[in-house]
Amino acid sequence: MSKLSEIPIKVEVYDALSDWEVHTGEGENVVARRMKGRFRTLKNFGMSVWLIYFFGPYLRWDGHQAVLLDIPEQQFHLFALTLYPQDIWVLSLTLLFFAILLAAATSIAGRVFCGYFCFQTVWTDIFTFIEGQFEGKTPQKQRKFNTEPWTASKAFRKVGKHGVWLAIAILTGITFSAWFTDAYQLWGDIFSLQAPTPVWVAMGIFTFFTYWFAGFMREQVCFWLCPYARLQGVMYDQETVLPAYDAVRGEPRGKLSRSGTQDANKGSCIDCKLCVAVCPTGIDIRKGQQEGCITCGLCIDACDSIMDKINEPRGLIRYASHKELHQGKAEVSLWKRPRVIVYSLIMAFSIMGVGYGFTHFEPTEFNVVHERRPLYIQMSNGDIQNKYTLKLLNKTDQPLVVNYHIEGLPSASVDGLEQGITIQPGKIVPVTALVRLPSDTTSSGLHEFHFVATSEGNSAISNRYKAVFIAP
């Protein structure tokens, strides 16, 4: 066998094999065979990331839930930090980072998110594993089990399978709710039937769709319901590496002889169809790139195992770009691909923004609103009065006693700021301030000054807000 780099490229071989294949869901479900391999190990590792979803709500930090999305109080607790709606820009940059990361990963290596991390893929893989434990670990065993007449053993296995499926589906729904309320209290409320209505609604929705999508629809969700499966096509280019069949090396296909040898005039593919048997969506990667390919690489594990057995070099099915297979060109460095560079710059900007936000959070947020109707009032004694509403958000976990005063208007008098204002954690207490200037010391136009808010007992908490006094 010649070296892979010495095999001439024949595009017409790929054209002859190319065929669009979609599993419509009619007939039997896709039952993928499970095999050990490096990509199966990588897939298991990617799936394990979802353990954070299940165990994250139970982490405690300083006496409270470490990560809590408290929607009624409009607070997002993240360990020692508390984010408010005013900090939404930090969350927006975080979402931007992950969105661009998804696009970048797709541009580099196709649908790796679908293959290794997507919740539909992960839950389906778990459900089919459970199904295999009850009904048989191979398609043939499951087909035989389902065609057998009903017995007590068959009924027990069916009930057991669906019972475990429902348990996982219910746990998925409860866990989703646990991110929005105290996780430990949630379980007590559920068992005592005292949980709020939104909890029961979330449990019902997640239980139903998890059970239905992962247990019955499976790969059909990827084919027909998931918009991302269709969007990813525009994220590919000819340098994107995807699981691909090296047709020049593999064709024409030929079976092994009884002696275990292969015809010298045949390609490396022995048409064992193991790559099809292990595919979670049931496609034949030898027919070219398909909509159903989720880039999981399990077909590579299957093919490599066969190549090892027949003493052929691995890589008949491998991660390869269109240019490599169809044009014989070497893989291009990531830093020479404009799309990857742009994605990387956007992600770097997002990370810097998030980092700046997390390191520059203020314990309070001070805002002043000038009364617009009217902009000013001329009192009976000739003084000019402007009205302001002061709002200070307490982002700490302790009550604050705040004192207000103004700077920059020496001859002004202020009503409404004589006493300290107590502000509870996470709350805003609006305060009305009436600022007056004598007419004989006031020129017409705009006069800049500052409202100053200081906390009693904590001089480090101090805010200044530039305001404008309007005179006729």
Side-chain angles (χ1 to χ4, degrees):
M1 174 63 67
S2 301
K3 294 182 179 179
L4 297 182
S5 59
E6 297 176 353
I7 299 177
I9 302 299
K10 298 179 180 178
V11 179
E12 59 271 13
V13 176
Y14 293 97
D15 293 338
L17 292 174
S18 180
D19 186 22
W20 191 251
E21 185 177 59
V22 176
H23 188 269
T24 61
E26 298 177 357
E28 296 181 343
N29 289 331
V30 173
V31 180
R33 180 175 175 180
R34 293 178 178 271
M35 292 186 61
K36 294 181 179 180
R38 50 181 174 151
F39 290 105
R40 165 49 73 176
T41 301
L42 187 61
K43 182 178 178 68
N44 291 341
F45 175 78
M47 292 168 57
S48 67
V49 172
W50 280 97
L51 292 175
I52 299 174
Y53 170 77
F54 286 101
F55 292 105
Y58 303 98
L59 295 177
R60 312 302 285 184
W61 183 270
D62 197 21
H64 60 80
Q65 191 162 316
V67 182
L68 177 63
L69 304 172
D70 192 346
I71 293 179
E73 297 296 329
Q74 298 184 7
Q75 299 176 9
F76 175 27
H77 300 284
L78 183 62
F79 295 92
L81 295 174
T82 299
L83 279 68
Y84 293 86
Q86 291 81 357
D87 306 313
I88 192 65
W89 64 273
V90 178
L91 297 179
S92 299
L93 286 178
T94 304
L95 294 176
L96 175 64
F97 170 79
F98 284 108
I100 299 301
L101 176 62
L102 192 63
T106 303
S107 176
I108 294 170
R111 295 171 61 182
V112 287
F113 170 78
C114 296
Y116 297 96
F117 302 104
C118 173
F119 45 86
Q120 172 64 23
T121 303
V122 172
W123 264 251
T124 298
D125 193 83
I126 294 172
F127 273 46
T128 53
F129 172 79
I130 294 169
E131 185 176 59
Q133 300 303 308
F134 281 95
E135 299 182 1
K137 298 181 180 180
T138 64
Q140 295 77 14
K141 289 182 179 179
Q142 289 194 22
R143 190 178 298 112
K144 179 181 177 182
F145 174 82
N146 287 320
T147 56
E148 288 177 348
W150 281 92
T151 62
S153 175
K154 181 176 181 178
F156 175 80
R157 291 185 181 185
K158 284 286 187 181
V159 172
K161 180 190 77 170
H162 288 279
V164 176
W165 280 4
L166 283 171
I168 295 175
I170 293 172
L171 181 61
T172 302
I174 294 175
T175 303
F176 177 80
S177 299
W179 288 93
F180 298 90
T181 187
D182 186 271
Y184 292 97
Q185 181 181 349
L186 174 64
W187 283 96
D189 291 342
I190 290 174
F191 283 113
S192 63
L193 302 180
Q194 300 297 318
T197 301
V199 172
W200 299 113
V201 173
M203 283 180 57
I205 292 174
F206 273 79
T207 299
F208 173 75
F209 283 104
T210 301
Y211 178 69
W212 184 31
F213 282 1
F216 298 95
M217 292 198 66
R218 302 183 183 181
E219 76 286 343
Q220 298 305 307
V221 174
C222 305
F223 277 119
W224 308 114
L225 297 183
C226 178
Y228 183 54
R230 289 162 172 76
L231 291 175
Q232 287 176 110
V234 300
M235 300 181 188
Y236 293 172
D237 56 31
Q238 293 190 2
E239 292 160 351
T240 302
V241 292
L242 303 165
Y245 171 62
D246 191 341
V248 174
R249 175 189 160 190
E251 301 296 317
R253 304 168 194 172
K255 298 289 186 179
L256 290 177
S257 63
R258 292 184 178 179
S259 61
T261 60
Q262 193 172 9
D263 189 339
N265 296 322
K266 299 293 185 179
S268 296
C269 180
I270 61 173
D271 204 23
C272 64
K273 296 184 175 59
L274 191 58
C275 57
V276 182
V278 300
C279 180
T281 59
I283 66 168
D284 189 343
I285 195 64
R286 298 173 299 176
K287 295 181 179 180
Q289 187 57 218
Q290 306 288 329
E291 179 192 357
C293 179
I294 58 175
T295 323
C296 61
L298 298 182
C299 55
I300 300 177
D301 285 340
C303 188
D304 285 348
S305 69
I306 298 299
M307 294 298 104
D308 291 343
K309 292 178 181 179
I310 63 175
N311 297 318
E312 288 281 340
R314 292 185 170 191
L316 178 60
I317 299 176
R318 63 183 185 273
Y319 273 97
S321 68
H322 183 276
K323 284 188 174 180
E324 177 188 344
L325 290 178
H326 292 251
Q327 302 175 23
K329 295 183 178 180
E331 183 177 342
V332 178
S333 172
L334 293 178
W335 304 115
K336 294 182 179 180
R337 297 176 58 183
R339 184 181 300 188
V340 176
I341 295 174
V342 172
Y343 288 151
S344 300
L345 291 175
I346 297 176
M347 287 191 293
F349 166 77
S350 302
I351 291 175
M352 290 188 292
V354 172
Y356 175 84
F358 280 124
T359 55
H360 289 76
F361 276 131
E362 297 291 339
T364 58
E365 183 164 320
F366 189 30
N367 188 32
V368 177
V369 179
H370 191 289
E371 181 70 32
R372 295 182 179 273
R373 294 183 180 180
L375 292 174
Y376 62 87
I377 295 176
Q378 188 164 13
M379 311 297 290
S380 58
N381 62 355
D383 291 352
I384 307 301
Q385 175 180 289
N386 284 202
K387 183 178 179 181
Y388 303 86
T389 301
L390 284 59
K391 298 180 179 179
L392 188 139
L393 170 64
N394 179 8
K395 294 184 178 181
T396 69
D397 56 358
Q398 298 294 330
L400 293 178
V401 178
V402 180
N403 294 307
Y404 298 101
H405 66 276
I406 65 171
E407 296 178 354
L409 291 177
S411 57
S413 62
V414 184
D415 290 338
L417 304 182
E418 295 82 5
Q419 298 180 346
I421 306 298
T422 301
I423 305 177
Q424 297 298 324
K427 300 298 183 180
I428 299 175
V429 178
V431 177
T432 300
L434 303 176
V435 181
R436 298 190 187 96
L437 280 176
S439 58
D440 56 351
T441 62
T442 306
S443 60
S444 62
L446 307 179
H447 303 269
E448 292 185 354
F449 69 102
H450 289 86
F451 281 99
V452 180
T454 57
S455 174
E456 291 185 5
N458 190 346
S459 58
I461 299 179
S462 179
N463 297 84
R464 295 171 63 86
Y465 191 95
K466 184 169 70 174
V468 174
F469 186 92
I470 301 176

